[in-house]
Amino acid sequence: AAFIVEGGIESWSALFLERQLHSQPAVSGLGPGFYGGAMAAGRFFGQTTKLPDRLLLVGGGLVATAGCAIAAAAPNAGLALTGFVLGGLGVALNAPIVFGAAGRRSASAVATVTTLAYAGLLVGPPLVGGIAQATSLRVSFVVLAAIAGAAALAATTLREL
């Protein structure tokens, strides 16, 4: 689920800024950049923290939920960019945590997690586009917020990784 959110924000943030908020290309191009920078910062944080993986997944899911919701409701580019930054921070640690947990189990677990992760990355962008086509990009980001929230909720049930 987190990879659906990751792919959706990365692929649609620039168009959201341009089409929903009528931003100039110089501003709309900042969406993926701010998002990617936040993901990098989140991953650097993950390398230095001693917090438990479950807490990082739950907290990250909640931060991503807030970020997508803020972006969806944003009346201007500045607030939407803030939402994309929070979204990036929120999903940043999912890949390292789930790939690491799979690696501690078995090679087949790594293969399964990798397949599911890439499926999420592939599903996210067309899912956002399809929802946007039927409704709006704002609604698409509300759906991403719901998916991130569901991932946070699911992470509460995990045993320590």
Side-chain angles (χ1 to χ4, degrees), residues 25-145:
V27 174
S28 62
L30 295 174
F34 277 35
Y35 172 74
M39 282 196 63
R43 288 192 177 162
F44 290 134
F45 167 77
Q47 294 295 315
T48 62
T49 187
K50 301 293 185 209
L51 295 172
D53 288 346
R54 180 178 22 178
L55 178 62
L56 292 169
L57 290 174
V58 172
L62 294 174
V63 170
T65 300
C68 290
I70 288 168
N76 58 56
L79 196 55
L81 287 168
T82 300
F84 298 144
V85 166
L86 290 173
L89 289 171
V91 299
L93 294 177
N94 283 284
I97 290 171
V98 299
F99 289 146
R104 289 186 293 277
R105 289 194 180 264
S106 68
S108 64
V110 172
T112 300
V113 168
T114 302
T115 300
L116 292 172
Y118 283 112
L121 287 173
L122 290 173
V123 167
L127 175 68
V128 170
I131 293 168
Q133 184 70 29
T135 58
S136 73
L137 274 171
R138 288 191 188 276
V139 172
S140 295
F141 277 88
V142 170
V143 170
L144 290 178

